[in-house]
Amino acid sequence: MENLKDKERIYNASEIAFFKKTKEAFGGLSNMAGGFPLKINGVSILTSEALYQACRFPHLPDVQQLIIKEKSPMTAKMVGKPYKNQSREDFEDVKINIMRWCLRVKLAQNFVDFSKLLISTQNKPIVEDSHKDTFWGAVREKKDENMLRGVNALGRLLMELRQQFIENPFSMKLVYVEPLKIPNFKLFGEYIGIVDEREKFIRFISKQYGLSLSFQQNQTNNGSYAYHQEEVEPVIKQISKSEKIINGKKNKKPLTTNPKSSTKKIENEPTLFGTK
Ligand SMILES: Nc1nc(O)c(N)c(N[C@@H]2O[C@H](COP(=O)(O)O)[C@@H](O)[C@H]2O)n1
C-alpha cells in the first residue's frame, strides 16, 4: 500500500492560491463550482464533481443517473456515497487519471473562463483548502492555521493543467480530449467518446483575432472531421508564438501572415495533437 504521507506537501497560506468556497476568488477551480457545464456523449453534466463521481460506477448506470440528475454537486457526491464500496474495482488505481481527464474536459468545454481562472493564480501553488481531505486537498494545521498539509492531488493536477496552458495556450490538445484508455470507461452503458471542442475553439480564435478561419465540419461515419487545416494550423502556431503569458497578463502582437487556405481531412488521430 502506497504511503501517502510521503506525498504530502506543506503550504503557507500567504503564498498560495487556495480555494475553499466556490464563490471566493479561485472558487471556480473547485469541482463543486457551478458555471462550468460539461457534456459527455451528449449528456449534460452540471459539474466536474458529478462527472468524477459518475466515473466510479460505469457498471451501475442507474447510480450514474442518480448522481448526474442532482442539481447540487455536493448532493451528487452524497447520493453516490452509499454505493462507494461498489465503485469500479480498480478505482483507487485510476482515480487520479479520472480526475485529470475530468479537469481536461472542464477546460476544453469552458476554455475562456477556466483558462482565465487558471492563469489568474499566477505561478502560485494551487491548493484546495479542505476541512478534512488530505488527499485531494490540504488541511490547516491545528497548531498553525496558516500552514496547510496534504497531498493536494487536485491542486497539483490543476497546476499541471495550468502549465500545459501556459506552454501552449492555443494548442488543439487542450480542446480535444480522448477518453481514458481504461477498461469499461462508460457513461450510461456507452463507451465515453472523444470530447472535441476544436470547432468552437477555432471560432473563438477567429473572433478574438478578427480572422476568418473556417471550420468545415464534414462529420463522417467514423466521427472524423475535416477542416481547413493548412489555413488554421499556421495561424494558431503564430498566435501561440506571439502570445506571451507572464503573470496572468497576455501580451498580444499583431499577426503578419495571411495563411493560404486548403482543405485537408483530419482523421481520428489528428496530427496536431498527440496523446498524453
Ligand atoms: N465532502 C467534500 N466537501 C467539499 O467541500 C469538497 N470540496 C470535497 N472535495 C472533493 O470531493 C472530490 C473527491 O471525492 P472522493 O472523496 O474521492 O469521493 C474531489 O472533487 C474533491 O475536490 N469533498
Side-chain angles (χ1 to χ4, degrees):
M1 176 76 181
E2 199 181 13
N3 185 1
L4 287 176
K5 286 265 171 244
D6 295 345
K7 295 204 155 83
E8 279 188 358
R9 303 275 192 276
I10 296 180
Y11 302 94
N12 186 327
S14 64
E15 294 164 1
I16 61 176
F18 64 85
F19 55 94
K20 193 177 181 80
K21 295 189 176 148
T22 57
K23 299 289 175 217
E24 288 170 355
F26 302 118
L29 297 173
S30 166
N31 289 324
M32 300 286 173
F36 299 94
L38 311 170
K39 196 169 258 187
I40 299 296
N41 290 0
V43 176
S44 295
I45 301 175
L46 289 174
T47 57
S48 45
E49 185 65 31
L51 178 57
Y52 167 77
Q53 295 297 341
C55 287
R56 281 177 177 274
F57 305 109
H59 53 302
L60 299 174
D62 292 349
V63 177
Q64 291 187 318
Q65 183 70 54
L66 288 176
I67 292 169
I68 282 170
K69 76 169 201 235
E70 280 303 334
K71 289 220 165 67
S72 140
M74 189 56 86
T75 318
K77 179 171 174 169
M78 290 309 142
V79 294
K81 216 171 168 185
Y83 305 92
K84 226 170 161 177
N85 60 0
Q86 295 176 59
S87 296
R88 52 180 301 146
E89 275 179 13
D90 57 358
F91 187 67
E92 285 306 310
D93 299 330
V94 297
K95 69 180 181 184
I96 291 190
N97 277 337
I98 289 179
M99 186 65 86
R100 179 184 278 121
W101 174 83
C102 290
L103 297 175
R104 287 201 59 202
V105 173
K106 185 172 175 179
L107 177 63
Q109 297 190 328
N110 299 275
F111 191 75
V112 176
D113 290 346
F114 199 50
S115 64
K116 265 191 204 157
L117 191 54
L118 283 171
I119 287 301
S120 73
T121 61
Q122 303 180 3
N123 57 355
K124 293 179 181 167
I126 300 174
V127 181
E128 176 163 22
D129 178 356
S130 173
H131 286 302
K132 56 179 183 184
D133 188 343
T134 54
F135 176 70
W136 289 114
V139 174
R140 290 188 187 250
E141 299 267 71
K142 285 206 174 69
K143 55 181 190 298
D144 183 355
E145 288 270 295
N146 276 327
M147 305 308 281
L148 295 92
R149 182 192 292 269
V151 176
N152 188 35
L154 179 62
R156 285 158 74 177
L157 290 175
L158 287 163
M159 287 185 261
E160 177 187 287
L161 195 57
R162 177 180 68 186
Q163 192 56 29
Q164 285 164 5
F165 178 80
I166 289 171
E167 278 168 16
N168 199 350
F170 296 98
S171 166
M172 292 264 197
K173 279 181 196 170
L174 298 173
V175 289
Y176 185 90
V177 186
E178 295 195 46
L180 290 181
K181 293 182 177 71
I182 57 174
N184 208 25
F185 193 48
K186 286 182 179 174
L187 182 64
F188 299 159
E190 301 285 334
Y191 278 103
I192 290 176
I194 293 170
V195 168
D196 184 357
E197 300 295 333
R198 288 175 296 168
E199 180 178 358
K200 203 169 139 197
F201 180 73
I202 288 165
R203 289 216 174 103
F204 161 70
I205 299 272
S206 302
K207 198 167 163 215
Q208 181 85 351
Y209 290 90
L211 302 165
S212 54
L213 297 172
S214 46
F215 189 109
Q216 184 194 22
Q217 189 178 341
N218 293 334
Q219 197 161 14
T220 59
N221 290 341
N222 67 3
S224 67
Y225 289 89
Y227 70 81
H228 291 269
Q229 186 186 17
E230 288 173 23
E231 177 188 36
V232 171
E233 284 184 14
V235 175
I236 288 180
K237 275 191 187 141
Q238 200 187 344
I239 293 171
S240 293
K241 272 195 206 147
S242 63
E243 287 265 339
K244 282 208 168 62
I245 298 185
I246 307 158
N247 291 336
K249 289 191 184 112
K250 284 184 183 176
N251 178 22
K252 271 188 211 163
K253 283 187 190 162
L255 288 166
T256 51
T257 56
N258 186 11
K260 273 199 284 175
S261 165
S262 76
T263 308
K264 192 170 170 186
K265 200 166 168 216
I266 296 199
E267 296 298 341
N268 274 341
E269 196 58 66
T271 51
L272 244 189
F273 20 89
T275 51
K276 174 153 172 95

